[in-house]
Amino acid sequence: MSHYPAASFIKSANLPKQFVADSGAEVAFAGRSNAGKSSAINTIVNRRGFAKISKSPGRTQLINFFTLREDGQRLVDLPGYGYAKVNMAMKDHWQELMGSYFNQRQSLAGMFLIVDIRRLLGDFDWQMVNWGQEVGCPVHILLSKSDKLKRGPAKAALLKVAKELEGAASVQLFSSLKKDGTSEARAVLDKFLVCG
Ligand SMILES: Nc1nc2c(ncn2[C@@H]2O[C@H](COP(=O)(O)OP(=O)(O)OP(=O)(O)O)[C@@H](O)[C@H]2O)c(=O)[nH]1
Ligand SMILES: [Mg+2]
């Protein structure tokens, strides 16, 4: 059964004017292309195929808005960054779309930053963390695909990232495959949405 029974897809936006009305509270899922953003949303909502999973990286090119509960609480699946195979025009378009989202979004109550545990934080990830600090948007990092590492190395990666962050963002292990870290992630999500 879905953890959020009222959760539903609202719309995709390719232009800022297509964004959902900027009221209520929403949490955006950001991260590198292929990091597991859409999978994390499906795991947290507990519904297969809710957010589209890419077979090839770079699939989510649009900003996808979802209602989480009926009372104006939303999830936002952002297109991933760092996908090498898109052309310059698409990169420019991505940058403009993401720029207008992050610069104008009043209802953004928090960010989930999805980082592949095997890659750890890259330049773009740090930019997101720093941006969150600057504007006072709380950032929670899911070290995704934690099933790809054994317990010991996964724990070591978590400690390493937490140390590097120095409190700039919270961080946890997460696996959409094994459903590990789901209740911890839901608790943070609910906290962000209530505080927003
Ligand atoms: N082993 C494992 N694979 C995962 C996990 N989460 C996602 N994947 C796989 O990683 C690939 C990318 O997952 P997505 O959820 O589509 O990633 P995304 O960040 O939304 O990708 P884009 O939308 O292209 O930016 C898919 O093949 C998933 O099946 C996980 O927890 N464990
Ligand atoms: Mg995606």
Side-chain angles (χ1 to χ4, degrees):
M1 156 113 174
S2 174
H3 189 75
Y4 298 93
S8 62
F9 173 72
I10 309 172
K11 68 187 298 199
S12 297
N14 192 33
L15 294 168
K17 67 174 185 206
Q18 295 164 345
F19 292 172
V20 170
D22 197 3
S23 61
E26 66 192 27
V27 169
F29 282 59
R32 267 189 86 89
S33 180
N34 207 41
K37 297 176 291 298
S38 303
S39 302
I41 289 177
N42 290 339
T43 302
I44 289 168
V45 174
N46 195 22
R47 249 192 260 174
R48 229 174 252 255
F50 182 66
K52 290 231 160 53
I53 308 296
S54 351
K55 287 221 168 54
S56 51
R59 181 68 80 77
T60 312
Q61 299 286 359
L62 306 166
I63 296 184
N64 293 310
F65 292 90
F66 302 87
T67 299
L68 191 62
R69 296 195 188 87
E70 280 156 68
D71 50 358
Q73 296 185 336
R74 292 179 300 275
L75 292 186
V76 183
D77 192 8
L78 295 172
Y81 40 76
Y83 181 52
K85 285 194 186 148
V86 302
N87 61 35
M88 279 308 278
M90 273 174 86
K91 274 186 184 153
D92 286 351
H93 176 73
W94 178 88
Q95 200 150 19
E96 226 174 282
L97 188 67
M98 295 286 275
S100 34
Y101 177 80
F102 282 111
N103 288 329
Q104 74 179 46
R105 205 69 182 159
Q106 297 293 324
S107 54
L108 183 63
M111 190 198 312
F112 269 39
L113 184 59
I114 318 305
V115 177
D116 188 319
I117 193 164
R118 297 163 302 173
R119 302 187 69 118
L120 302 179
L121 270 71
D123 290 348
F124 274 110
D125 300 315
W126 277 111
Q127 278 181 37
M128 299 307 286
V129 169
N130 293 334
W131 177 84
Q133 286 242 290
E134 274 164 35
V135 304
C137 173
V139 177
H140 183 65
I141 297 177
L142 301 184
L143 284 184
S144 66
K145 310 190 187 182
S146 65
D147 55 275
K148 294 277 191 187
L149 295 186
K150 292 207 169 84
R151 250 176 123 88
K155 197 79 191 280
L158 175 65
L159 292 174
K160 181 169 184 260
V161 171
K163 195 168 173 216
E164 281 174 1
L165 284 166
E166 295 177 328
S170 50
V171 58
Q172 67 159 99
L173 297 177
F174 191 84
S175 166
S176 287
L177 192 76
K178 297 269 170 74
K179 316 286 179 209
D180 290 341
T182 310
S183 46
E184 191 179 348
R186 281 179 188 146
V188 177
L189 180 65
D190 289 344
K191 188 184 77 185
F192 281 177
L193 288 169
V194 169
C195 293

